[in-house]
Each structure stands twice: as structure tokens, then as C-alpha cells.
Amino acid sequence: MVFAAPGEALARAEELLGGDPSPLHASVAHQVIGIWQRDFGDTRRALAHLRRARDLAARADSAEREADVLATLGVALVHAGRTRAGLAAFEQGVARGSGHTRARVLYRRAYVWWVLGRHGEALEDVRRAIPVLRQADDVIWTARALTLRATVHLAQGSVERADADFTAAEALWDTTGQEHDKADAVESRGLAAFRSGDVPAALRLLDEAEERYAKLGTPTFMLTIRRCEVLMAAGLATEALAEADGAIAVLEGIGGQSTRRAELLLVAARAARLAGEPQTSLARAAVAVRLFAGQRRTWYETHARLVLIEARAATGRGSGRLVADAATVAERLAAFGAPAAPEASLLAGRIALDLGWTADAERHLAVAARSRHSGPPLARMTGWAAQALRARAAGSARGVLEACRRGLDVLDDHRMTLGASELRARATAQGAELAALAQRASLVSGGPRRLLVWSERWRATVLSAPPTRPPADPVLLTAMTAFRELAARAEETRSDGGRPAPALEREQRRLEREVRSRTLHMRGEAPGDGDRFDVGRLLRRLGDEVRLVELAVLDGRVHVLLCGQGRVRRFEAGLLAEAEAEAEHVQAGLRRLAHPGAEARLPLVEAAGARLQHLLLGPAAAHLGSGPVVVVPPGRLHRVPWALLPALRERVLSVSPSAGSWLRARDTAPPPGGRQVLVRGPGLASGGAEIPELAERYGAARAPEGGTARHRPPGHGYGPGGSSPEARPSGTEAEGAGGRPPREGTARSPGVPDDRPPGHGYGPGGSSLDARPSGTEAEGAGGRPPREGAARSPGGPDRRGGPTVLEGDEARVPTVLRELDGAALAHIAAHGTFRADSPLFSSLRMADGPLIVHDFERLDRSPYRIILPCCDTARFASVGADELLGLVTALLPLGTAGVVACTAPVSDAAVVPLMLALHKGLDAGLSLAEALRDARASLPGDAVHQATGWAFTAFGAA
């Protein structure tokens, strides 16, 4: 019963001991309490109860009872770190028991061998136990033995054998009521999914196991260890470190198992190293090594030594001693059959290379490279990294590039099995070393074009394909709705009394975790060839006038790749670290200029912009020509206000996460109909004053044909509180949240005819930044003349009706999402909040709470153009190799070709004239980048308005 209903079993045992039981029955009761304390409580109390159970069994003169208790005592002693005493108890138990009882003792000793990392002995004992347990028709213990054997197979890398045993065990568990064992089986399947490379399934199964354990009230630290391993593989090392440290604190607080504490310390050490905290990693790994050594757990001790060496290498302590230590660890891991052996060989080779020991490096790297053809994706990545380093040591740039290509292809396939955009972005960190090696090799051997190709190969890859659309999961939808309501209540409480609401905020964080957790469970689509970047295609699209400036970072220095006029040129600029520091100074200056009275700081900010230009563009600034410019910065420079740089200040300027992303935006066709959506959220200092004027502007362009209820005619009377139920479309909120079917006639992909009028968005020389899907590439780049009689573009005056306006109580998330889906132009005036701790919970405040990035990912197609006159909407979290997570980057793969957003806090009042001028340009047929340039030029010359103009950026190509 202790593994079916643990709490009830404990109560029954204590009740029995409260009477006057016989020695035999008292022995059973003390053993049950000992098991409960061993697995869920205090190890010292467990040992006291189990010793009492052993003595009572001896008094009862029952050899079988005594053997059974000795086995339980042996497990408890080993978990307490007293390995020698534990193994001695097992020797006595095997000797005292017979038949069925001995088989149970052997199973538990096999478990202890697994805990100690002695997998050969574990398989031998479980091999002897299973036939006897089956013959006795002992379903529960047979299922336990099969589960254990599967777990040992996984530790040795034998995934197929493990799957077979897990399947057999699960069939047996279905016939029992052992709820704790069933939860353990789900947890084990999660481990198997992880070992086979299926991270979403692993997360889903481990979360399910956690729910089962919670219902039983039985905390399990092994689950935390396994979950942390999966989180690290998913690129969530910081979360894994926090979970491991939290579990260590809980375990120490209850006097729990010493073995689990050592394992948690090992996991924490690995997580700290991956999270870039080598000193923390050193501290955790050193304690883990000592504990494992004292517990005689050589397998685990060797793994902890590997992490210790990795942490030392990360602190710059490379030495011959470290090479020798890594090589010794690699040999031991290989002897154990541990999957981590290639990692140790790669580490030894990498340190040897840094020391210039080429022959030693080749020996170790050759061993590590053997893993490149088999095993799970990350193991093959290790092999290809070793092969690339071998080629670099041999002076073969071609070999380096081939190994990097093959390794990144493996990671591409793995990445596309992940449905969540966050996991896809973070997974790219695994390829950062390969991408850097390829960039260095291409710089040496291939010139600027090849460097551009490799800079693009691993930049903003998460934008190359839409994320998997969240499923119509009722639990997920309910959690998102509850999160929104709670966040709105918490915000209201803070606004009314100026005080936080701890209870509401705790529940809000819990719901955030639930939403995020269920999102991470999504599987991606099947891997495909993808859209490979083509330099020739880019140059044809750019033509002679447009320049694309891609910034690559090699060994800490910015290299400028200037593309245009049919060629790619490279210039060296400043150091990345200096540019980042200067960008932070500029951001601080813009924040101050957003408030009146900071006029004196304007020259300082302008001077900082000039310094930024020197660091980021260097001599390339003199070669930009006179036409439009597209800037492609690395992720770490995402907060630069590019319009502040003197060479870019008066230009048609747009920014893109990658050159490939810009090309895809150029190919994105606008939806038919030119439908516009204007949204005004609550609490704006300006009251969203531009919305009524924009409604009049667009509504006056042409009266509605047919007068649908969702479009406003000219002069309909907008103003504070002037919203109308006419703007609320039909349908339930659940439809809007759950992903309604797409609207008839909504464009889903490029390919509609080019409907641009004469003069629509062309820059100097007739080139354009607008999407022009039809015609040849040369025509698209060179600005072919438009067809006669072509319709105006989205945003132009030739529309079928007025805009949809959502304000007041109509500006609710389900309604807003329903209207945004497939729109040609959306303008959302609302407070924006960037969440650095959880970027996909960055939000825009609506009447019913926050509209978050996860909501946008439910759209069939996001608006073709979207304008976000809100603070911090263009802020991102830089993750993975060179990925960005935030509001703008969530929109780009979903059908948005152009975004105007803000990189800094701005004056609400100063935003209004900028937005009105921007829409005036759009109404005249300009692109977002052109309209934004003209809007900046129209602003007053005071510091507040100038800073406001610089804070806004046009992203994409629409």
C-alpha cells in the first residue's frame, strides 16, 4: 500500500503500532514507516524504523521477513551514503531469503547497483529476479523489475531495449492500483523520450508524472533531476539551476537522501556551467565529487569530475594537467559505456588545441568524432564539433565548413521537432560553436560572400518557419483566460492603491507556468529542406539603390557586410562590447529625453549616436549610397536606435533580424481588401488621441459599400467613451481564443498579383522596400513600372469600407485577435510591457488584461502591416546562438511583412503627431520605412519629439 496510497499506508502502520501487535506485524508496520521516511521524508528516522523492523523480524523467527527488511534497510543505508553497510545488509538478505523473497531482495539490490552506477551488476541481479517473480505471478514486483531494467538500459544508451521493457511494464501496471508506481512509470517514459531526442514528449510526460505525484502527496527528487536534464537539453539551463537548487534546499530541510543530494548537486553544476556561471558550477561539482566518492559511486563521481573539468576550463584554467584529467575521465566513461564519453574526449581535445598540442588534440578529437554518425541529435552534434576542430587543426577550411554544415543540419532537424518558438530559439545555442567555426573559416578562405552565407546560416532561424500553432487545448485556453483575468485584477489593485497584491501575483505566476509548460509540450512539424539563403537572390532583390548592411561578430569584433550593386563588401568596425555599452548609454539618454526639461541632454545623445556609428559601421558608413538602407544586426544589438546614427538619420531605414527574413517579408503578399483595424487600449496618458483622427482619415477615404456593422463611416463620432457595440463582431470569445477558422478570401501565402500604384513606396532610383511578389526578381529589385489601373496598396484610400475600431470595452483580447487575423493594417495604441524573464509573456494591455505573444501565435495570419506606438514593443530577449524572442519577432513568421515599434520608453503626447504623420505617408502609398522617415522630419525640433522619432524603428519590408 505504501506505493499505492502512501499517506494511508503511513496512517495504518502508525495505528497498528498504537495497539499491541505481534512482533511479526510490528515488523511490517515499522518497515512501512521506514519506507515512507526513506523515500519521502527523513533518512535518519527511516534507518531507526528499519533497524527496529529487522530486530522484530528476528524475534518473530521469520527468515523471510528478516530478509525482506534487510533489503529495505540496505537501500536506505546506501541512500544515506553508507554504501559498505548497505551492501553488507544485502549479503545477509540474499543469504536469509529463498525463492520469491530472494527474488525481491535481488531486485532491490539491482536497484542499489543502479544507484551506485554499477550497471553490469544491476543487470545481472535483475536478470536473476525477473523469471522467479513471473513464475510466482507477482505482477507488481515484475513490473518494478522491468522498469528498473529499462532504466539501466537507458543509462547505457540502449534506448530500444529500454522501450521494450517500459512497454511490458506499463501493460502490467494497468492491471494494478499502484498509483505511485504508475507515476514512476510515466516519469520513466519521459526519460526514455528524452534519451531518444523527443524533448516535447519528455516535458509532457514529466509534467504528467508531477501531477500524479502531487495527488499522492509524495515529492520525488528523482523527477526534479530528470526534469532538469531535459530543461538543459532544451536550452533552459537557468531554469534547471533554479529548480535543482530549490530541490536541494527542500531535501536538506527534511534530512532526505544523501544520494539524491549528490545527484542534485551534479545537475546544478551542469546547469550552472551551461548558464554561464562557471564559479557556481565549480562549487557545486566539487561538493558532488566528494559526496559520490564517499558513497563509493564511481560512475557518478566520474560524471561529476567531467563537469568540474569543464567548469575549470570555462574559467580559463587550461593546462596540461587538465588535458590529462579530461582524458582519464573519457577513458573511465567509455569503460562504463556512458553516453557522455565523447563529451569528455571533445573537452580533452579542445583544451589540447588551445595549448597548441596538435598531436594530443587529434587523438582525443578523433575518438569524440566517432559519435557523429549515431545516437541522439546532441550526441551527433558533439561528434561533428570534434570533426570540425580536427579539420581546423589540419588547416582544412573546406573540412571545417563541411563538418559545420553536417552538424548544423542535425541540429536543424532536431530543432524542427520542437513546436514552441521559445524552444526552437534556445536550442540554437547548441550550434553556436559550429556557426562560429564556420564564420572564421569562411572569412579566411571564402571572402565576404561566404561569410554572409554563414552569418545567415544560424541567424534568426526561428523566424524561417511559423511556430507550431497551439492546439485547441481546453486546459491551455482556460489557463490563458484565467491568467488574463488575474493579471487585469492585479494591475487594477496596483493602480488603485499603489500596492502590490501578493496573492494575485502568486496565482498569476502559477498560471504563467502552466501556460508556458503546456506550450512547451507542442511537437514541431516534420523536418524539411527549408528556405536556404541565396546571396545572388538577395543582390538581385536589392538592385542598385538599396543597401543591406549585415553585422557579423567574430571574436568580439563587428564586421560589416555591405550588400548592394551586385556585390558584397566587408569592413571592420569596433568591438562588440564597446558598442553594447554605448547602446545602453544611448537608451538611458532617450529615456531621459522622453520627459520635459532634459533639453540639455540632446547634444549628448547625438554625440553618442556618432560614437555608435563608428563602432557599428566604421568605414562602411561612407559607402551607403543615397538610397534606402536595411540593417541586419546581431541579437545582442537589438536595442540600438538606428535612426540616431548620423549616416542613417535622414534615410529610408528598416531593420530585419536576418537578410533571409527580409527576403521573406518582400515575398509576403498583402491580403485582399485592405482591411484596417484600429485598437485603443486603456490607461494611456494621451488617451490614444490618434485613434479618432485615424478613424476619420480612413473612414473619409471612401464611404462603406453596403455599410457593414464592423466598419465605421465618415464622421461616426469617436472620442473618449465613444465606442459602439457595432464594432463588436459576432461569435463567442471562446472562438476568438481558440482559433477560429480563417476568414474567406484571406490571403495565406505570397502569390497574389502586385497591386502597387505608380509611385508606391519607391526610393531614389525607383527601387522599393515594399513586398513585390509578382514579376521577375530583377524587376522586383529594379522597380518595374506598375500596371495601369492597379489598385492602391493596403493603407491607401481605395478601400471597401472604413476601419474597424476597437476601444473601451470592445478592446478585449478575443475580439482584438479575431479582427487582427488577416488584416492589412493594424494600429494598436496600448501600454506595452516587455518581460525579460519570460519574453513570450511580453504584452499589450487590453480592456480585459494583457494580450501576450502566445495569443498572437494563435492567429492564422497576423496583420500584413502592424504599428505599435507603445513603449518597449521593439525590445527582445537575445537567446540561443543569435535569436530574438519578443513581440515583433513573434509576428514576422506569422504573415506580418512590416512592423513599426518602439525600442525605448517615449512620451505618449509626442507619439500622437508622429503616428498621424506616419499614417499620412501610408495613405499616400509610402512604405512603412518611407513613411516613418517623413514622419520624423515633420516633428518639432525639441528634444522630446526628436527622441520620440529616434525611438521608433521600421522592421521588415512592407
Side-chain angles (χ1 to χ4, degrees), residues 15 122 495 677 681 843:
E15 180 185 352
S495 300
V677 180
S843 63

Side-chain angles (χ1 to χ4, degrees), residues 286-453:
V287 178
V289 167
R290 289 199 299 271
L291 285 173
F292 287 132
Q295 294 165 1
R296 302 189 174 205
R297 301 171 73 187
T298 310
W299 191 87
Y300 283 97
E301 180 191 349
T302 307
H303 281 79
R305 289 192 183 279
L306 171 59
V307 179
L308 190 63
I309 297 167
E310 288 173 333
R312 286 174 178 162
T315 59
R317 301 181 186 178
S319 65
R321 173 64 181 273
L322 217 54
V323 174
D325 289 347
T328 300
V329 165
E331 290 172 4
R332 288 179 179 171
L333 291 173
F336 291 140
E343 294 178 31
S345 293
L346 174 60
L347 177 62
R350 188 183 282 119
I351 300 171
L353 265 186
D354 291 341
L355 294 172
W357 297 3
T358 309
D360 290 301
E362 167 60 23
R363 184 172 70 255
H364 298 305
L365 293 172
V367 173
R370 294 172 192 161
S371 68
R372 67 189 186 276
H373 294 305
S374 61
L378 298 185
R380 284 180 282 153
M381 285 284 297
T382 297
W384 284 116
Q387 186 67 11
L389 290 172
R390 291 179 72 195
R392 190 186 73 173
S396 171
R398 182 177 179 180
V400 171
L401 294 176
E402 175 63 13
C404 292
R405 181 185 67 79
R406 297 284 295 275
L408 291 177
D409 284 348
V410 170
L411 193 49
D412 264 338
D413 288 345
H414 166 65
R415 193 170 49 83
M416 293 309 292
T417 66
L418 308 173
S421 54
E422 179 180 2
L423 289 189
R424 287 186 185 179
R426 294 186 184 278
T428 60
Q430 306 286 351
E433 181 184 20
L434 287 174
L437 284 169
Q439 283 182 303
R440 293 190 195 101
S442 61
L443 179 62
V444 171
S445 67
R449 280 196 179 216
R450 183 172 286 176
L451 179 57
L452 176 62
V453 169

